[in-house]
Amino acid sequence: IVKVLEVSPVGQSNSAGDFFELKLEYPDWDGWKPGQFVMIRPTNWELDMLWGRPFSICSADGTSLTLFIQSVGRGTSRIAKLVPGDEVTVWGPLGNNLAVEPDTPTLLLAGGIGIAPFCGYVEQHSAPENLKLFLAHRLPLECYPYEALCGKVDGQSMIDRKPEDLKAIIATLKDLIREYAEQDGLILCCGPTPFMKTVQTFANEFGARAQVSLENRMACGVGACLGCVTKDGEGHHVQVCTRGPVFWTDKVEL
Ligand code: FES
């Protein structure tokens, strides 16, 4: 059980559904790898909200832990209303991590809140000049931690509001994935399932080395409840919380 240090909006025009940065007191941190997540549960939640919620780790420095949260449902909007001094149960770091190849051109493909794991990825990467970030988003750009990342990596963003936006995004994804496949680059993707499916389709078509980070609903985070199950490339059921959340695109069914 740890204390909340800060809850602050990301960007300037936050309204319901936007991002918040949650900073928790977190001493004795054991170390973490980009792509891993923690489960958190405010200690004052009612019994019908027994389980925690998973969040990607954005940064942790031995004294505090920072997470980006989008208030999209009952649990996350309650978390966004926490105030400094409130208590939260945290367990983690959990799951596997995103591949890191410092000398390889690496493309980070984010759909909306899927940008969250890339905050920690960019922070820990030893050669951010080899990273390119692509963000497809619906909310105004300032609602995402995009500008802060673009100070460190090459960034490109596209808004997804109308059918023609979606077509343009798919065409751009196809070009980018083909380009990175041709140079044997690494592609990492996180976002809504249709976004990841599109990336998986092009990655498999072009033989790209690509990983997706799944955002399945989770309850326990440790492989016990089977609430997060998906299928691997051979059709076997696997728990996303312990075998993932990161999978190679040719080894998972989306
Ligand atoms: Fe319980 Fe994965 S969240 S098994």
Side-chain angles (χ1 to χ4, degrees), residues 20 59 99 121 175 187 196 214 229-230:
F20 293 82
S59 68
Y121 192 87
D175 289 345
I187 298 171
M196 290 196 291
L214 272 54
V229 163
T230 191

Side-chain angles (χ1 to χ4, degrees), residues 218-221 223-228 239 241:
M218 292 184 190
C220 71
C225 72
L226 304 183
C228 64
Q239 288 104 313
C241 62

